[in-house]
Amino acid sequence: MMSKIDPNRLAFVGTVISAIGDVLQAWSADLQIEQQNQQEAKEQKEQQNYDNRMKELEQKIAELQKKLESLP
């Protein structure tokens, strides 16, 4: 025969399970934000590398143009 379940104990277990769910949702949201921040940082770094490379190429083009102009 089954024993009667204590309603207070059942309510407590439900509260604990709900709290665990809330913590997991918050953790998931934090992980998503961190992942988004890492992606943005990666994109910024890639853009900075691109910008730096373009500056280098522009300088080299300017140097080559000066050399061309100085040719007889």
Side-chain angles (χ1 to χ4, degrees):
M1 187 155 93
M2 296 183 65
S3 61
K4 189 172 181 182
I5 297 174
D6 181 5
N8 291 332
R9 182 171 286 181
L10 188 60
F12 175 74
V13 170
T15 301
V16 169
I17 290 172
S18 178
I20 290 170
D22 292 345
V23 168
L24 289 175
Q25 282 182 332
W27 185 35
S28 175
D30 286 345
L31 288 174
Q32 287 176 339
I33 290 169
E34 179 63 27
Q35 188 176 33
Q36 183 178 5
N37 289 344
Q38 287 176 353
Q39 181 65 28
E40 288 173 2
K42 179 183 174 187
E43 289 171 1
Q44 287 176 352
K45 183 177 180 181
E46 288 173 352
Q47 183 64 45
Q48 185 64 43
N49 288 341
Y50 175 82
D51 292 344
N52 289 342
R53 183 66 179 140
M54 289 304 292
K55 286 178 186 177
E56 290 174 11
L57 291 174
E58 288 170 356
Q59 289 174 351
K60 287 183 180 183
I61 288 171
E63 290 172 10
L64 290 173
Q65 284 176 334
K66 286 180 184 178
K67 287 181 181 179
L68 280 174
E69 291 169 358
S70 68
L71 289 176

